Amino acid sequence: MSFRRFEMHQYRHVLSRMRSGDTDRSIARSGLMGRKKSAQLRQLALAHGWLDPETPLPDSADLASVIQGRKEDRLQVSLVEPYADEVTQWVKDCIQGTTIYQALVHKHGFEGSYSSVRRFLAQYKETHSEAIRLP
């Protein structure tokens, strides 16, 4: 059940169980949420004061803004981005991805993988399909 999507009502349910004293293990045994995810939510709840029984539970909009904001923090810039001008010129010249990868390694000491180059090329071709000429 890795990478399971949770609805806001599930987060609220787990928060209410945490507020009533349930442990991460008991929440995991109930099947609501895994132990690691529950521990992450507990840390987030402690930071925002959601575990205090005297305060009301956060509404779904507040909960969503905090949880989805964390998801955006994980976005990472492509390792190919510093060489984007040169790579896009090579793409326009119809040079293959494996050749581009080898050129980056030899010319710039590129430490990324070929997959990072392939993802960059796929994204570029998707957004600039008119700029690519076919052989």
Side-chain angles (χ1 to χ4, degrees):
M1 279 207 258
S2 63
F3 300 112
R4 203 172 107 193
R5 292 184 57 120
F6 292 98
E7 301 292 331
M8 285 303 124
H9 67 87
Q10 292 171 308
Y11 281 113
R12 289 175 55 85
H13 185 77
V14 170
L15 280 174
S16 66
R17 291 198 51 175
M18 285 179 180
R19 289 168 66 132
S20 66
D22 284 5
T23 63
D24 295 338
R25 286 183 185 269
S26 66
I27 292 169
R29 274 193 301 268
S30 70
L32 290 172
M33 184 179 283
R35 203 165 37 124
K36 290 181 181 180
K37 184 81 168 184
S38 178
Q40 291 171 352
L41 181 61
R42 185 179 298 276
Q43 291 299 318
L44 188 63
L46 284 171
H48 287 85
W50 294 337
L51 295 183
D52 182 18
E54 300 298 319
T55 61
L57 278 173
D59 62 353
S60 294
D62 292 338
L63 193 58
S65 67
V66 171
I67 291 173
Q68 290 174 353
R70 292 175 52 87
K71 183 179 178 183
E72 293 169 2
D73 293 342
R74 287 185 249 150
L75 294 178
Q76 188 174 8
V77 178
S78 172
L79 295 173
V80 183
E81 196 64 40
Y83 317 107
D85 294 335
E86 195 169 18
V87 171
T88 54
Q89 184 58 47
W90 288 335
V91 170
K92 290 176 185 175
D93 293 340
C94 296
I95 297 177
Q96 292 182 347
T98 52
T99 307
I100 291 173
Y101 170 70
Q102 286 299 320
L104 287 173
V105 169
H106 292 296
K107 189 173 181 181
H108 300 290
F110 182 68
E111 294 182 359
S113 67
Y114 168 67
S115 293
S116 62
V117 173
R118 188 177 40 118
R119 284 188 301 268
F120 180 85
L121 294 177
Q123 182 181 13
Y124 178 78
K125 288 178 182 178
E126 184 178 295
T127 57
H128 298 87
S129 60
E130 71 283 346
I132 301 170
R133 63 175 184 215
L134 298 174

